Each structure stands twice: as C-alpha cells, then as structure tokens.
Amino acid sequence: AATPKPQTVITYWGLWEPTPVLQDTLTQFESENPDIKVNYQQQTYRDYRERLQAAVAGGRGPDVFRYHASWVPMLRAELSEMPSSAYTTAEYTSTFYPIASEQLQLDGKYVGIPLMYEG
C-alpha cells in the first residue's frame, strides 16, 4: 500500500473574522487540498503590525497573514514575491482596482492579494 503524504500545516493569521465565520471556507479548501491543513488564528488588532513583523522577522511568523496595503514599505523585509502561478501581471491588473497594483508591489513584484478595499 502507498504511504499517505504527510500534511503540510499552514498557519494563517486573520484579524477580524472569528474561526466560525471562515470554517466553511477552510473546510472546503482542505477538502480540495487534502495534503494541506490550515491552522487559522484570529489575532487582536492591538499592536498587530508590530507583533506580525517581529514574529516573521524572528522566523516564527505565520505562513499567510493579513496586513494593510499601507504597511508594504514597513514590511519590505518580511514580504515574499507572489508567484506568477497565482496571478500573472495581466490577470492581477484586470482583477483588482489600480490602487492594489500600486500599493501591493515591491520592485515591480506583487506581494499581496487584496481581500477588501476601503473607498
């Protein structure tokens, strides 16, 4: 019999949504990706940016996290380039408002996907 692949656990720091709000989405994602388990952790907004930056810089941060687009310059060292398999430049610019393309890139590379935008 084949040995089952070990699950990869991804830690996701959310900010505003309690776990029950995301449970259906997480369950669907995990059923479509059985080798991935999402460890969702809702964070408090108090000192969130500082805690996030310290955790990531210290090598103990989450794999996926929420951050405000205006934080990109402050998180420069902590953000990774988004792979083009997620969105090509053309897909990104045709999917999101132009401000996302402006704010969510470093050195011409996208470093985030907007979940919402304030008008």
Side-chain angles (χ1 to χ4, degrees):
T3 305
K5 290 175 31 177
Q7 273 195 324
T8 299
V9 177
I10 296 174
T11 299
Y12 171 25
W13 278 16
L15 198 50
W16 307 112
E17 301 83 13
T19 302
V21 170
L22 291 179
Q23 195 57 59
D24 288 346
T25 301
L26 296 174
T27 299
Q28 180 180 347
F29 175 84
E30 290 172 352
S31 70
E32 293 171 3
N33 301 277
D35 55 331
I36 299 175
K37 170 77 176 138
V38 180
N39 175 16
Y40 177 74
Q41 299 173 2
Q42 182 182 8
Q43 300 292 307
T44 177
Y45 66 89
R46 288 185 183 90
D47 301 322
Y48 175 72
R49 185 187 59 79
E50 293 82 2
R51 285 183 294 108
L52 172 66
Q53 196 165 20
V56 173
R60 59 188 193 288
D63 302 293
V64 178
F65 50 88
R66 295 210 37 177
Y67 63 95
H68 195 276
S70 67
W71 299 355
V72 169
M74 294 175 277
L75 296 173
R76 172 177 279 281
E78 289 80 20
L79 297 173
S80 297
E81 174 186 335
M82 183 176 58
S84 61
S85 60
Y87 285 99
T88 65
T89 300
E91 290 170 332
Y92 197 94
T93 57
S94 68
T95 302
F96 303 111
Y97 289 115
I99 191 70
S101 294
E102 293 172 28
Q103 290 185 317
L104 293 172
Q105 68 172 283
L106 289 170
D107 303 321
K109 306 292 183 182
Y110 294 112
V111 293
I113 298 172
L115 293 176
M116 66 180 87
Y117 247 90
E118 301 164 3

